[in-house]
Amino acid sequence: MSTAVQAPRSRASALGLLKNAVFYYVLYRAAVRAAREVAIKGPVEAVRDYVRSVLQAVIKSTRAFVPGADQLVQKEVAKTVAGLQADMIGGSRGEHRALPATG
């Protein structure tokens, strides 16, 4: 065999080694991050936090890609905020110019 034929194989081999090195580095970084989360929050809370973040990503993607989903969410949020404001204020928005007799 000539060396010209072997050169592309060694480049492919070097590229494969580089890809493997990058993959294992990313895997190592993710494992270290997960271990830190578990050490800080405990295993149950770390899993809950992970599930919560996955669900938030799914909801965010849904709102971005499904037509009308964002407007529906905004309408429901506005309705909830209006209800909370009415409960907190007590339903009366008149002007109060004098102090009450008691309280």
Side-chain angles (χ1 to χ4, degrees), residues 9 13 23 31 36 39 51 67-69 77 92 100:
R9 189 189 313 180
S13 168
F23 172 75
R36 285 182 187 153
V51 169
V77 168
S92 65

Side-chain angles (χ1 to χ4, degrees), residues 17-49:
L17 284 174
L18 181 63
K19 286 180 182 179
N20 286 339
V22 169
F23 172 75
Y24 287 123
Y25 176 72
V26 170
L27 187 66
Y28 170 76
R29 295 280 304 214
V32 167
R33 182 176 179 205
R36 285 182 187 153
E37 289 286 325
V38 170
I40 292 170
K41 297 179 181 178
V44 174
E45 190 62 32
V47 169
R48 283 183 187 161
D49 192 34

